[in-house]
Amino acid sequence: MLRKGCWRLQARLCFLYRSVQVSKSGHRKLVSCIDPSMGLNEEQKEFQKVAFNFAAQEMAPNMAEWDQKELFPVEMMQKAAQLGFGGVYVRTDVGGSGLSRLDTSIIFEALATGCTSTTAYISIHNMCVWMIDTFGNEEQRHKFCPPLCTMTKFASYCLTEPESGSDAASLLTSAKRQGDHYILNGSKAFISGGGESDIYVVMCRTGGPGPKGISCIIVEKGTPGLSFGKKEKKVGWNSQPTRAVIFEDCAVPVANRIGNEGQGFLIAMKGLNGGRINVASCSLGAAHASLVLTRDYLNARKQFGVPLASNQYLQFKLADMATRLVASRLIIRSAAVALQEEREDAVTLCSMAKLFATDECFTICNQALQMHGGYGYLKDYAVQQYVRDSRVHQILEGSNEVMRMLISRNLLQM
């Protein structure tokens, strides 16, 4: 059944990849109004095509198996890294691709059509590498970034704790300096890649209470005192493991601190600004795939002697889904450009993009399942996995309630 489901998914997703191809005869594209290549330059269209092809060939055929067997697809991600996807917006001198935030969004949207869960992990990994590349010294950059860019090593972002989620500045994990080491004690919760990753970018308290007492320290797998909790059983995101990360008198060299003491919260938030665009882009990929699969299903499925596509109510629903998708894509790309340009409105736009796109794209995926009827609830059909994998995007990288708080705070300060 699983193998049959994988084959069916791959067959259905072929429509998606054809939707962004131009035929040799120059005819119009199959899904013109939602074409994700609209507005892109030729270089961006080329690496978008590479990402879509990789998603079709390496990810989509295995998406259901990774989900149902909870497999962490290391070999596939290392293949993705060979295309430059392990350090998309990391500088080239340490092995990164040196692309822009907009370029990164384009790539993650395309990859997410093949497997949203795995792409989301790749996006978190990229965020960690960027933090080291941006805030680390030259020795740290050249030590940690090259193996992360090739994905011979993997990275995890460690901010959330059992008692500090949205209130991240109240974190309790401590790092007390003893000579040339920090001694870490505490735990982190809901860590993507926990137990599998090699590098843990940890926010911990080196000073007093509040954000100014937080520092950023790299903890390497195998360090004495570092351990992991049980693998969490999740609704979605099953191709990436989630565990608690635990520190018990864990001694880490002071040389592993990124930036200055007290700079950790700033580094964490800078990382999350891009992370919010990244995860919103993953939602875009899930929604785009779901919409194309639904269009295909409506054309093929007949009820009362006619295709479902002839039903005006369903036509209108499809139009609403398309409008939500394109609006989400536009706000994400606008925020990506603002972040790249370091504009004053970048943080707020990233919050808006994450809020709007993850909400609207989940609505698209959920509506796609509804329009598939009972078949949509079967694991043979991909839409249910897009629903499960995209739901958590409204919670992580700052919940959408926190996004509303950030947006309103900006408005009320004016």
Side-chain angles (χ1 to χ4, degrees):
M1 178 62 73
L2 181 60
R3 184 171 297 175
K4 177 183 176 183
C6 292
W7 174 86
R8 184 176 293 171
L9 169 60
Q10 185 179 17
R12 288 178 178 275
L13 283 182
C14 73
F15 286 94
L16 169 63
Y17 309 111
R18 284 164 46 197
S19 75
V20 294
Q21 305 287 328
V22 181
S23 69
K24 293 181 180 179
S25 61
H27 292 163
R28 292 178 60 190
K29 300 170 188 176
L30 287 174
V31 192
S32 59
C33 71
I34 62 169
D35 180 3
S37 69
M38 293 293 289
L40 304 184
N41 62 40
E42 291 306 311
E43 182 182 14
Q44 289 168 333
K45 289 178 182 179
E46 281 303 311
F47 58 66
Q48 182 187 61
K49 181 180 178 181
V50 169
F52 268 121
N53 287 339
F54 185 84
Q57 295 165 13
E58 301 290 343
M59 301 175 79
N62 303 301
M63 170 178 149
E65 182 178 19
W66 295 338
D67 173 65
Q68 294 181 38
K69 293 184 178 179
E70 299 186 2
L71 300 177
F72 190 52
V74 170
E75 291 184 5
M76 181 281 296
M77 289 189 286
Q78 290 173 343
K79 287 182 181 179
Q82 292 175 10
L83 298 174
F85 300 156
V88 181
Y89 53 111
V90 174
R91 284 176 280 180
T92 57
D93 66 318
V94 290
S97 297
L99 297 181
S100 71
R101 299 290 188 157
L102 175 57
D103 300 337
T104 303
S105 173
I106 293 164
I107 289 169
F108 287 155
E109 176 185 358
L111 292 179
T113 61
C115 181
T116 304
S117 167
T118 307
T119 305
Y121 174 77
I122 294 173
S123 81
I124 295 168
H125 171 91
N126 268 263
M127 178 177 70
C128 292
V129 189
W130 175 84
M131 291 165 67
I132 298 170
D133 179 43
T134 303
F135 296 100
N137 58 38
E138 287 303 303
E139 182 180 352
Q140 292 166 336
R141 291 179 64 243
H142 287 276
K143 175 183 178 181
F144 294 114
C145 292
L148 291 173
C149 287
T150 59
M151 299 190 97
T152 52
K153 290 188 176 182
F154 295 93
S156 289
Y157 178 83
C158 301
L159 176 64
T160 301
E161 297 185 0
E163 300 301 325
S164 62
S166 295
D167 184 14
S170 68
L171 65 83
L172 297 175
T173 295
S174 64
K176 296 182 179 180
R177 186 162 181 171
Q178 292 184 6
D180 59 356
H181 283 74
Y182 287 106
I183 309 301
L184 274 65
N185 282 282
S187 64
K188 298 293 180 177
F190 308 124
I191 304 305
S192 295
E196 298 292 337
S197 291
D198 306 279
I199 300 295
Y200 296 86
V201 182
V202 182
M203 310 308 147
C204 48
R205 192 162 300 284
T206 55
K212 293 184 179 180
I214 296 171
S215 298
C216 178
I217 296 176
I218 292 176
V219 182
E220 299 177 71
K221 189 176 183 179
T223 302
L226 172 66
S227 61
F228 307 97
K230 66 178 179 63
K231 184 178 177 181
E232 304 289 358
K233 303 295 289 185
K234 307 189 297 291
V235 171
W237 270 31
N238 289 319
S239 67
Q240 50 169 296
T242 301
R243 293 184 175 93
V245 177
I246 303 163
F247 309 98
E248 297 174 298
D249 292 330
C250 181
V252 181
V254 171
N256 281 20
R257 187 189 69 227
I258 301 297
N260 298 321
E261 280 200 3
Q263 198 179 3
F265 192 75
L266 172 66
I267 294 172
M269 294 303 105
K270 291 280 189 180
L272 282 179
N273 288 332
R276 286 163 184 161
I277 294 175
N278 294 346
V279 77
S281 302
C282 292
S283 287
L284 269 183
H288 190 105
S290 297
L291 178 54
V292 173
L293 291 172
T294 302
R295 179 216 60 190
D296 175 40
Y297 181 80
L298 294 182
N299 280 322
R301 173 75 166 165
K302 289 186 177 181
Q303 288 290 278
F304 307 104
V306 295
L308 289 177
S310 65
N311 183 295
Q312 191 178 60
Y313 175 82
L314 297 178
Q315 293 172 4
F316 285 2
K317 283 291 184 182
L318 204 64
D320 288 343
M321 293 160 71
T323 303
R324 288 187 170 100
L325 177 69
V326 173
S328 296
R329 183 178 292 130
L330 291 173
I331 194 171
I332 288 171
R333 292 182 178 179
S334 175
V337 171
L339 187 61
Q340 185 70 34
E341 295 175 350
E342 299 182 345
R343 286 173 15 201
E344 290 184 6
D345 60 348
V347 174
T348 306
L349 284 176
C350 290
S351 301
M352 288 179 172
K354 197 269 183 181
L355 165 65
F356 185 83
T358 60
D359 277 354
E360 294 301 322
C361 289
F362 177 75
T363 297
I364 292 168
C365 296
N366 198 40
Q367 184 61 48
L369 189 154
Q370 183 71 19
M371 292 166 76
H372 275 73
Y375 291 108
Y377 206 64
L378 300 180
K379 288 194 173 181
D380 278 358
Y381 286 75
V383 287
Q384 52 76 32
Q385 189 170 338
Y386 289 123
V387 170
R388 290 186 290 108
D389 284 343
S390 63
R391 177 60 182 87
V392 74
H393 297 178
Q394 296 168 287
I395 300 172
L396 50 79
E397 309 288 43
S399 71
N400 284 5
E401 289 72 24
V402 170
M403 297 304 99
R404 291 179 171 92
M405 182 183 73
L406 294 173
I407 296 163
S408 62
R409 181 183 296 166
N410 176 270
L411 287 168
L412 293 170
Q413 285 176 347
M414 296 185 68

